[in-house]
Amino acid sequence: MPTASTSAAARILPAGERAPEFCLHSTPDQTVTCGDFLGRPLVLVFYPADWSPVCGDQLALYNELLPEFQKYDAQIVGISVDGIWCHLAYAEQRKLHFPLLSDFQPKGTVAEAFGVYREGEGVSGRALFVIDAEGIIRWSYLSPVGVNPGADGILRALEQLTISTGAHS
């Protein structure tokens, strides 16, 4: 089973960096940008591939925890290099209620900008980012690709963000 490469771990964007701008498809004819989420916390979930068992477990967990994320007014989005039609079929089959963005063309460009693209495998790493309302990364984590990182780190980061900004939860 592959594990997170040390080179990817060394490159992941750390807390304190401004999140790179991106423009990705959320549907075949709609795109979203990082800037569209300014004004509220954003949780970016990079994952290797739709339909993989670990990704399915991870995204199902976040789907179940949407009310917890909403307590922090946070928007969660998933990003992988799968095409938008694959994302739509996957989200419908899994009944996911948050957007999956396609980093398909050019492949992995956004994952590379965040320092989590796995060049040798052509997929994004399994990485999490909590970005504040101004677009600054407040927490990032790169998990081994075969391990579901769960949600504890995300929720702790959102709690810290709430405390530091004085926002209500």
Side-chain angles (χ1 to χ4, degrees):
M1 179 175 294
T3 61
S5 71
T6 54
S7 62
R11 295 180 297 127
I12 185 172
L13 291 182
E17 296 273 330
R18 176 163 292 284
E21 185 56 49
F22 61 78
C23 181
L24 296 173
H25 279 272
S26 60
T27 70
D29 57 357
Q30 294 179 319
T31 58
V32 297
T33 68
C34 190
D36 291 339
F37 299 102
L38 290 176
R40 63 190 292 199
L42 174 63
V43 178
L44 292 183
V45 178
F46 286 90
Y47 63 98
D50 294 340
W51 308 106
S52 81
V54 177
C55 297
D57 291 347
Q58 181 185 8
L59 297 181
L61 173 66
Y62 301 154
N63 201 49
E64 289 179 25
L65 292 174
L66 283 176
E68 292 299 315
F69 299 133
Q70 291 166 348
K71 288 180 184 175
Y72 298 100
D73 192 33
Q75 172 68 53
I76 185 167
V77 299
I79 300 176
S80 81
V81 299
D82 292 300
I84 195 61
W85 292 108
C86 186
H87 278 336
L88 293 175
Y90 183 70
E92 181 178 328
Q93 196 272 341
R94 297 296 177 117
K95 300 179 178 28
L96 298 178
H97 299 288
F98 58 89
L100 299 179
L101 305 181
S102 178
D103 192 12
F104 181 70
Q105 186 62 33
K107 186 177 184 181
T109 300
V110 175
E112 179 67 34
F114 279 82
V116 298
Y117 187 64
R118 297 172 64 95
E119 183 73 35
E121 299 162 51
V123 297
S124 65
R126 189 176 308 284
L128 304 169
F129 293 87
V130 172
I131 300 169
D132 71 14
E134 286 78 41
I136 305 299
I137 297 169
R138 294 301 177 193
W139 179 77
S140 62
Y141 177 74
L142 182 65
S143 175
V145 76
V147 176
N148 179 346
D152 292 346
I154 296 170
L155 293 171
R156 277 194 302 272
L158 289 171
E159 179 67 27
Q160 286 298 314
L161 188 59
T162 300
I163 291 169
S164 68
T165 62
H168 67 282
S169 60

